[in-house]
Amino acid sequence: MSKILHRSIHAELPVAVGGRGIELFDADGKAYIDASCGAAVSCLGHGHPEVLAALHAQLDKLAYAHTGFFTTEIAERLADRLIADSPDGIDYVYLVTGGSQAMEAALKMARQYFVEKGEIARRHIIARRQSYHGNTLGVLAAGGNEWRRAQFRPLLIETHHIAPCYAYRGRSAGESEYGYGERVANELEAKILELGPGEVIAFVAETVVGATAGAVPAVAGYFKRIREICDRFGVLLILDEVMCGMGRTGTLHAYEQEGIVPDLVAIAKGLGGGYQPVGAVLMGRHIYDAFATGSGFFQHGHTYMGHPLAAAAALAVQDVIREQGLLENVVKLGELLNCRLRERFHKHYHVGDIRGRGLFRGIEIVADRGEKSPFAPARKVHAAVKREAMARGLMVYPMGGTIDGVQGDHILLAPPFIVSAGQIDNIVERLGDAVDAAIAPGVA
Ligand SMILES: *Cc1c(COP(=O)(O)O)cnc(C)c1O
């Protein structure tokens, strides 16, 4: 009997013993295609020789030095690389060990930024419903997924939520995509006016919504309008690219495709590709300068921030992506994945929507595609799809609660950037079989 409190106590988990390329192997010798990179993490797949070599080299040099005493060459090199690769307006880095830590740091940074500037009345965080920003209490409060929040509500700080930009569900009949985007973006302005314009710290959003909604990009114009509203009221824009960032959507940062630059952006999952736990906040010069010309000190910190092995893994992963031109592969194979998903599912009675960007794709499962009606949550269709896919040696990332935290099911796909065309065909074939086995077609 396991002594670990596993995520789900009654689940029977296979034991992972190895991995190579896009596959993981269990103790019985069964291979699984990792078509979700776990949770959009393992962007270079498993056992990548260059990343392993970089980790061995750093380990032989130095495993750990506390950031209260030292900086390290490897952490400085990672920061230089991340800033060199970022667009103008992103100038400094804060290194942590994961996505929740990155988002927590971004929220505290945003509050202290205004304290440094003497705008101490600013205290409100506005985010969107149906988003996920991490599981620690601060970012859980910012997240908009009701199911994740419900039992912890008495412990959560006050936050405010507006509608997501989720065209498949939110756009009215007769409304243009652009018009829909403007309407839901304008909810931010209304919320800021309601709370008091001088009292709002930041607006927080996933550029492409990941785990909780299934690869939902905003419609054209939405983020431009959001940026305008933030600028008009002096509200900071914090983008959570923990899942959708670092190349996953075909550009290094997902916001590059929106034509905007945030004040703060959190990255994590693909940053180190799973070779080490690592995350970061990237920030504009104005944020850094407020600290530099103010107290000279960001009142925060963690024991393992800027960890040399984490920095070595992240730098190696980012070097490989750049040297091998893998973002081009994300764009090309992402289009192929989109095509294959459409061929397989576009007339499927139980697939309502196929969406996403690059190698970040979602399909929304429905009971009836005409009415967009969800399956009863108790049927746990998402869990059945996961089970059927695993039985066929395929890892995808299905989740329930797509619509409102309770209703709806979707499947997230996020294959490694090294995936080939033949492997894409294989993934979609196994997924098609898994979906059909999980839901007998035509039965609601
Ligand atoms: C995974 C995720 C987080 C939390 O990251 P952890 O490393 O699990 O703490 C935050 N935001 C988004 C968008 C995520 O997908």
Side-chain angles (χ1 to χ4, degrees), residues 168-236:
Y168 174 64
R169 294 274 170 198
R171 183 162 68 94
S172 315
E175 190 174 36
S176 71
E177 283 220 329
Y178 186 83
Y180 165 67
E182 298 292 290
R183 173 165 66 81
V184 282
N186 287 342
E187 285 194 20
L188 177 60
E189 179 171 11
K191 186 57 87 178
I192 291 171
L193 291 172
E194 174 195 322
L195 295 171
E199 296 189 19
V200 178
I201 295 172
F203 176 62
V204 179
E206 287 174 87
T207 318
V208 178
V209 183
T212 44
V216 179
V219 300
Y222 172 83
F223 272 109
K224 278 225 166 83
R225 178 85 183 116
I226 288 287
R227 181 72 267 188
E228 262 170 42
I229 295 168
C230 287
D231 287 343
R232 186 140 42 83
F233 295 101
V235 168
L236 296 177

Side-chain angles (χ1 to χ4, degrees), residues 229-308:
I229 295 168
C230 287
D231 287 343
R232 186 140 42 83
F233 295 101
V235 168
L236 296 177
L237 176 59
I238 302 176
L239 292 181
D240 180 348
E241 297 207 356
V242 167
M243 190 177 249
C244 65
M246 301 321 282
R248 178 54 60 196
T249 64
T251 47
L252 190 63
H253 302 290
Y255 63 77
E256 291 172 55
Q257 294 174 53
E258 306 297 340
I260 57 153
V261 179
D263 300 282
L264 295 152
V265 56
I267 55 175
K269 291 182 168 115
L271 173 61
Y275 288 91
Q276 285 289 299
V278 61
V281 184
L282 310 178
M283 74 201 83
R285 185 177 303 279
H286 54 297
I287 306 289
Y288 179 90
D289 283 348
F291 291 90
T293 61
S295 65
F297 167 69
F298 173 38
Q299 193 175 357
H300 194 60
H302 292 287
T303 302
Y304 294 126
M305 63 187 296
H307 197 285

Side-chain angles (χ1 to χ4, degrees), residues 40-257:
V41 174
S42 309
C43 57
L44 292 186
H46 303 276
H48 198 288
E50 288 176 57
V51 184
L52 299 189
L55 275 166
H56 285 295
Q58 183 58 43
L59 185 56
D60 286 340
K61 230 188 257 172
L62 174 70
Y64 177 69
H66 194 280
T67 47
F69 299 85
F70 294 102
T71 185
T72 55
E73 190 196 342
I74 193 75
E76 296 291 340
R77 280 175 55 207
L78 172 62
D80 289 347
R81 157 52 48 89
L82 291 175
I83 295 310
D85 289 349
S86 288
D88 285 353
I90 296 292
D91 304 287
Y92 292 91
V93 182
Y94 188 78
L95 294 171
V96 292
T97 57
S100 301
Q101 271 195 4
M103 283 303 297
E104 290 281 348
L107 294 184
K108 285 180 73 178
M109 223 176 257
R111 164 64 186 172
Q112 195 183 328
Y113 166 80
F114 285 116
V115 174
E116 298 284 353
K117 296 195 349 150
E119 296 184 52
I120 58 168
R122 290 197 187 257
R123 61 199 174 92
H124 295 299
I125 301 286
I126 304 174
R128 302 190 298 181
R129 292 192 291 277
Q130 269 319 90
S131 276
Y132 180 59
H133 298 302
N135 262 331
T136 52
L137 290 171
V139 290
L140 184 63
N145 186 276
E146 275 313 310
W147 173 77
R148 283 182 165 78
R149 291 162 55 97
Q151 71 170 322
F152 303 106
R153 197 182 314 274
L155 305 183
L156 300 182
I157 57 167
E158 182 191 2
T159 51
H160 307 272
H161 293 89
I162 63 170
C165 187
Y166 178 16
Y168 174 64
R169 294 274 170 198
R171 183 162 68 94
S172 315
E175 190 174 36
S176 71
E177 283 220 329
Y178 186 83
Y180 165 67
E182 298 292 290
R183 173 165 66 81
V184 282
N186 287 342
E187 285 194 20
L188 177 60
E189 179 171 11
K191 186 57 87 178
I192 291 171
L193 291 172
E194 174 195 322
L195 295 171
E199 296 189 19
V200 178
I201 295 172
F203 176 62
V204 179
E206 287 174 87
T207 318
V208 178
V209 183
T212 44
V216 179
V219 300
Y222 172 83
F223 272 109
K224 278 225 166 83
R225 178 85 183 116
I226 288 287
R227 181 72 267 188
E228 262 170 42
I229 295 168
C230 287
D231 287 343
R232 186 140 42 83
F233 295 101
V235 168
L236 296 177
L237 176 59
I238 302 176
L239 292 181
D240 180 348
E241 297 207 356
V242 167
M243 190 177 249
C244 65
M246 301 321 282
R248 178 54 60 196
T249 64
T251 47
L252 190 63
H253 302 290
Y255 63 77
E256 291 172 55
Q257 294 174 53

Side-chain angles (χ1 to χ4, degrees), residues 299-346:
Q299 193 175 357
H300 194 60
H302 292 287
T303 302
Y304 294 126
M305 63 187 296
H307 197 285
L309 285 174
L315 185 60
V317 167
Q318 297 310 311
D319 279 345
V320 169
I321 290 173
R322 170 194 270 237
E323 283 156 19
Q324 301 185 358
L326 289 179
L327 291 189
E328 283 165 41
N329 211 50
V330 175
V331 173
K332 212 173 77 197
L333 277 293
E335 262 325 303
L336 182 68
L337 176 58
N338 185 29
C339 266
R340 292 288 179 266
L341 288 173
R342 281 175 200 280
E343 284 163 16
R344 179 64 177 82
F345 293 113
H346 89 285

